[in-house]
Amino acid sequence: MKIAAIGSGNMGGTLGKRWAALGHQVMFGSRDPHSQKIKLLLQDAGTNAQAGTIREAAAFGEVILLAVLPDDVERVLAEAGDLKGKILINCTNRYDGKSADAEVRRLAPNAHVVRAFHTLPWEVLADPRYDAGTAAAFLSGDDPAATATVAHLISEMGLDPVEVGVPDGMAQVETAVGTLWSVLAPRFGREYSLSVLRR
Ligand SMILES: NC(=O)c1ccc[n+]([C@@H]2O[C@H](COP(=O)([O-])OP(=O)(O)OC[C@H]3O[C@@H](n4cnc5c(N)ncnc54)[C@H](OP(=O)(O)O)[C@@H]3O)[C@@H](O)[C@H]2O)c1
C-alpha cells in the first residue's frame, strides 16, 4: 500500500521504517523533508521510503498515519488538506482530559479515522516479538473496510489486532491500559505488553 507517516519521530519513524521493510511504499511527511534527520531516517528505511512535505505525503498516502504531538495536530491536519476517502490512523495521545479521537475526527471529517497504535510504546512497535504470546494492538474505527485494512497492517507487523467499539469501548480501553501502565511500567519497564486470549 501507499502509506504516509506524518511526523517522523518515535512513532512515525518507527512505523514508517517497519512498513517500508514489509514492502509498502512509504512517504514521511515532514516540516523539513531535506533535514539531516530525514536523510538518516531514509537511509535506515531503504528504497521503499521517500520524504516530502506534509501536504505531499497526505496526497501520496492511501493510508496516513498521524504521529505528531498533540499541540501540532490542528496545524498539521490543516496543512494536510482534505483527506476525503483516505484512511487516517490516529495514534496521538493527549494527557489534558480532552479526547484525541474526537479532536482528529472533528478536524478531518472526510477521512476514515481509525484509532490505533496509541496503546503501545514505539519500542514495542519496533520489535513486537516476545518469547510467548502476541502483543495486543487495540483499534477502533467506524468504517469497517478502513478498520479491516488497519487490522491487516497490524497483523503483518506481528501484533494482534483487537478491535473494540467506537467511541466508548476505546475510551474505556484507554483508561484501563493507562491504569495498568502506571502500575506495570515501573515494575517491568516500557516494553511489557498485554495479550488478549480468547476462544
Ligand atoms: N512515543 C511513544 O511511544 C508513543 C506511543 C503511543 C502514542 N504516542 C503518540 O504519538 C504521537 C507522536 O509521538 P512521538 O513520540 O513519535 O513524538 P516525537 O518523537 O516528538 O515526533 C513528533 C514528530 O512530529 C513532527 N512535528 C510536526 N510539527 C511539529 C512541531 N511544530 N514541533 C515538533 N514536532 C513537529 C516532527 O517531525 P518532523 O520534524 O519531521 O516534522 C516530530 O518528529 C504523540 O501524539 C504521542 O502522544 C507516542
Side-chain angles (χ1 to χ4, degrees), residues 8-11 30-31 37 68 72 75 91-93 120 122:
S8 50
N10 295 318
M11 293 295 277
S30 172
R31 287 169 297 170
K37 182 188 90 169
V68 298
D72 300 318
R75 186 186 52 76
C91 76
T92 66
N93 283 324
L120 291 161
W122 69 268

